[in-house]
Amino acid sequence: MSNLNNDVGRFFICVSIVILVANAAVSFGSIISAIAPNPTAASALSAPLLVPLMIFSGFFLNNATIPGYFIWLRYLSWFNYANELLLINQWDGVENIACNASRCAFTKGQDVLDYLKMEKSNYGIDFGAICALLVGFRLISFFILFFRSFKK
């Protein structure tokens, strides 16, 4: 119905990516929860911390157009890695994109990946980076809570 790649292997890879992203987001939320003194403060902190990560993830801005002084936000964003993984999962190997117009912008999946500056060679790195962010965020929240426990 949505015309996504209908290979069963790609479906399960997509599900795996979404599960990793959900876990990374929960891990980041645990940092916010550990920092905030109460739920209201956590809600107030979440938007200013999450919006830059979403903006510089490559979904709203093309990765090639991100200014150099904001590039570090791209590497802290699990959205960036998930976006690249999902796009490669969807478009890699697609040899014909059906188009009703007289002139189509993209005729193959590789054209889409080239336009968005997504590298197939980053596939394994992206999986590793999301896992590293997931573990790193959980460790950070653990240490925040550990040191806060000694304050009282």
Side-chain angles (χ1 to χ4, degrees), residues 75-96:
Y75 296 111
L76 285 179
S77 173
W78 60 92
F79 298 116
N80 170 52
Y81 302 113
N83 186 37
E84 187 168 39
L85 283 169
L86 289 169
L87 284 169
I88 292 169
N89 188 52
Q90 170 62 30
W91 294 111
D92 185 36
V94 174
E95 294 300 325
N96 183 23

Side-chain angles (χ1 to χ4, degrees), residues 23 61 77 82 115 119 142 147-150 152:
N23 279 295
L61 292 174
S77 173
Y115 175 75
E119 299 289 332
F142 169 77
F147 290 121
R148 284 186 72 176
S149 70
F150 289 117
K152 294 185 179 188

Side-chain angles (χ1 to χ4, degrees), residues 37-53:
N38 57 48
T40 306
S43 295
L45 276 172
S46 63
L49 292 174
L50 283 173
V51 168
L53 295 176

Side-chain angles (χ1 to χ4, degrees), residues 61-67 74 115-117:
L61 292 174
N62 192 326
N63 284 338
T65 63
I66 296 174
R74 176 180 164 208
Y115 175 75
L116 296 172
K117 307 287 189 257

Side-chain angles (χ1 to χ4, degrees), residues 3-143:
N3 208 20
L4 291 174
N5 199 324
N6 61 0
D7 180 47
V8 70
R10 300 234 182 168
F11 169 77
F12 286 112
I13 290 171
C14 179
V15 169
S16 301
I17 294 167
V18 171
I19 289 170
L20 275 174
V21 168
N23 279 295
V26 167
S27 299
F28 187 75
S30 69
I31 292 175
I32 294 172
S33 298
I35 291 171
N38 57 48
T40 306
S43 295
L45 276 172
S46 63
L49 292 174
L50 283 173
V51 168
L53 295 176
M54 287 190 288
I55 289 174
F56 296 108
S57 68
F59 186 72
F60 297 109
L61 292 174
N62 192 326
N63 284 338
T65 63
I66 296 174
Y69 47 87
F70 284 132
I71 202 76
W72 61 273
L73 284 169
R74 176 180 164 208
Y75 296 111
L76 285 179
S77 173
W78 60 92
F79 298 116
N80 170 52
Y81 302 113
N83 186 37
E84 187 168 39
L85 283 169
L86 289 169
L87 284 169
I88 292 169
N89 188 52
Q90 170 62 30
W91 294 111
D92 185 36
V94 174
E95 294 300 325
N96 183 23
I97 298 175
C99 182
N100 295 334
S102 61
R103 182 170 176 233
C104 297
F106 308 115
T107 58
K108 298 184 300 188
Q110 188 59 46
D111 296 339
V112 176
L113 295 175
D114 290 341
Y115 175 75
L116 296 172
K117 307 287 189 257
M118 300 294 171
E119 299 289 332
K120 287 191 279 187
S121 60
N122 290 344
Y123 200 71
I125 295 168
D126 291 338
F127 266 112
I130 291 177
C131 291
L133 284 173
L134 191 153
V135 171
F137 290 158
R138 298 223 178 188
L139 286 173
I140 290 169
S141 63
F142 169 77
F143 285 116

